Amino acid sequence: MGNDLITRAAQRVAELKGYFVDHERFVPLAEGFSILAEKRLVDIQTGRISEAQGLALSGHSGAGKSAAITHFLSQESRRLADRDYGDSTIISLRVPSPAKLKFVGQMLLRALGYPIGADRHAWYIWDLVQHHLKERRVLFVHLDEAQDLASRGTKHELDSVTSMLKTLMTDPEWPVGIILSGTNELEDILNHDHQLARRMKTFRFESLSPAAYGDDILDLLESYCERSNLAPEEDVLELSHGERVVHAAANQFGIAIVLILDAIEDAFLQGQETLNRHNFIRAYHRRTSCDAEFNPFVVPDFMRIDARQVFSRENRT
């Protein structure tokens, strides 16, 4: 396996990663945000000041939340820029650790192009945040991994951060919509603060069922094969293979895509023109270092395997 082959495989997989799959769960999420954006624009055009609304998306790790959020935020940012609302109408950042009020404010200022030292008080930092959000006409702030607002700080800090988020949404001069995405613990945060929750449209990416989504995953596999110029062999087009992919991905949509791309990468590295079950076997082994007895693409009774485990082997000591 030469370096040229490895480089070419990496380039081709990178191109495939740029392809977003419009799945059934994405549509209501994107439509929900478009409605929020249009309401905000109407308020601006009419000079009316009303509380901003937000959106919250929860789901297990690997469910595909980040890809979905990134895609529709990118779409909406371009659309808003085309309507002369500038290129900073949506600010997106990952919740810092620890998720204290001061640190979240500092991260927001950095994203707004106004870094500030750690010696400032939290109240001063957030005054600057509100000022710069208005000056740059920011319509929405997205906080990814928002469950860390609760898991990395004290209850007092959680109360402080959620209170400030509500303040941004109800600012009498420039209200800003809040978008939260994170694991299922995010739901606990919203249920902790009912005032924040009632201002949110909520969505959840549920886990996949192998029986219900096997066919959908096969359609996805064929779509990626077409884009990669690989012909899928019969053994990867069987319904049981789609079910294996779902189970191997721990029932998470985002991980299923990663597994398919890993298998395609293996086919590229082997110099193949087709995609077969052996590519999935090797791809899963590279991800987990599990023995064949714990590889869902090898054993007949694959449902017994815990796909969340790595380094599984028959005689582990």
Side-chain angles (χ1 to χ4, degrees):
M1 190 183 299
N3 288 334
D4 289 344
L5 184 62
I6 294 173
T7 300
R8 179 58 182 153
Q11 291 171 340
R12 295 174 72 182
V13 171
E15 292 172 1
L16 292 174
K17 287 180 178 178
Y19 168 54
F20 179 78
V21 181
D22 260 338
H23 50 94
E24 62 182 23
R25 300 178 299 177
F26 176 74
V27 175
L29 179 70
E31 288 179 348
F33 181 75
S34 294
I35 292 171
L36 292 185
E38 286 302 323
K39 286 181 177 179
R40 186 72 181 93
L41 295 182
V42 169
D43 282 347
I44 294 172
Q45 291 164 358
T46 59
R48 184 171 56 244
I49 301 295
S50 57
E51 293 184 4
Q53 293 180 298
L55 181 152
L57 171 63
S58 71
H60 288 293
S61 178
K65 302 182 300 297
S66 295
I69 290 278
T70 299
H71 184 69
F72 82 68
L73 289 185
S74 176
Q75 284 184 324
E76 287 296 322
S77 293
R78 290 193 298 269
R79 187 174 70 87
L80 293 171
D82 291 341
R83 295 170 65 175
D84 297 325
Y85 280 92
D87 58 359
S88 60
T89 51
I90 303 173
I91 298 294
S92 180
L93 59 97
R94 180 170 180 166
V95 170
S97 176
K100 295 185 177 181
L101 180 64
K102 184 175 180 177
F103 294 161
V104 175
Q106 286 176 308
M107 290 285 289
L108 263 174
L109 282 178
R110 190 174 299 120
L112 288 164
Y114 192 90
I116 192 171
D119 56 336
R120 299 289 189 177
H121 292 293
W123 64 265
Y124 178 80
I125 291 173
W126 280 94
D127 276 351
L128 283 178
V129 168
Q130 288 181 270
H131 170 75
H132 286 286
L133 288 173
K134 178 183 177 182
E135 288 296 305
R136 297 191 58 179
R137 295 170 59 83
V138 174
L139 303 182
F140 293 93
V141 169
H142 167 228
L143 299 179
D144 195 20
E145 302 296 341
Q147 75 279 353
D148 285 346
L149 293 172
S151 63
R152 304 292 177 85
T154 64
K155 181 181 180 299
H156 173 72
E157 286 293 342
L158 172 60
D159 291 339
S160 299
V161 174
T162 54
S163 176
M164 184 53 67
L165 294 181
K166 289 183 292 186
T167 298
L168 296 183
M169 298 175 80
T170 59
D171 188 301
E173 295 184 1
W174 189 260
V176 176
I178 302 297
I179 304 168
L180 303 176
S181 56
T183 58
N184 291 341
E185 288 77 13
L186 171 59
E187 299 170 17
D188 296 331
I189 294 175
L190 295 180
N191 287 324
H192 167 79
D193 192 318
H194 300 300
Q195 290 183 344
L196 180 61
R198 70 176 176 82
R199 292 181 170 91
M200 293 284 179
K201 293 183 180 294
T202 58
F203 300 85
R204 179 190 291 162
F205 279 3
E206 300 285 359
S207 298
L208 307 182
S209 159
Y213 284 90
D215 273 333
D216 291 337
I217 292 299
L218 291 183
D219 290 341
L220 180 63
L221 187 153
E222 288 189 274
S223 178
Y224 274 113
C225 280
E226 182 178 355
R227 287 180 170 269
S228 59
N229 294 318
L230 290 175
E233 296 187 17
E234 290 186 8
D235 58 0
V236 299
L237 294 179
E238 298 172 353
L239 177 58
S240 62
H241 183 77
E243 295 172 346
R244 288 174 186 270
V245 174
V246 174
H247 183 76
N251 305 107
Q252 301 307 315
F253 184 77
I255 301 177
I257 292 178
V258 171
L259 278 173
I260 292 172
L261 292 179
D262 285 350
I264 289 174
E265 180 180 48
D266 183 76
F268 289 157
L269 293 173
Q270 302 298 324
Q272 299 174 200
E273 296 183 355
T274 64
L275 182 72
N276 58 47
R277 184 171 61 91
H278 296 288
N279 300 125
F280 283 89
I281 292 173
R282 286 190 291 265
Y284 189 83
H285 177 71
R286 288 196 184 102
R287 283 178 56 83
T288 66
S289 293
C290 291
D291 283 352
E293 292 84 356
F294 298 92
N295 190 317
F297 299 103
V298 175
V299 299
D301 56 339
F302 63 92
M303 293 294 289
R304 69 170 173 80
I305 294 172
D306 185 349
R308 297 167 299 178
Q309 298 292 316
V310 297
F311 299 113
S312 299
R313 45 188 183 271
E314 192 68 33
N315 297 309
R316 185 171 183 173
T317 58

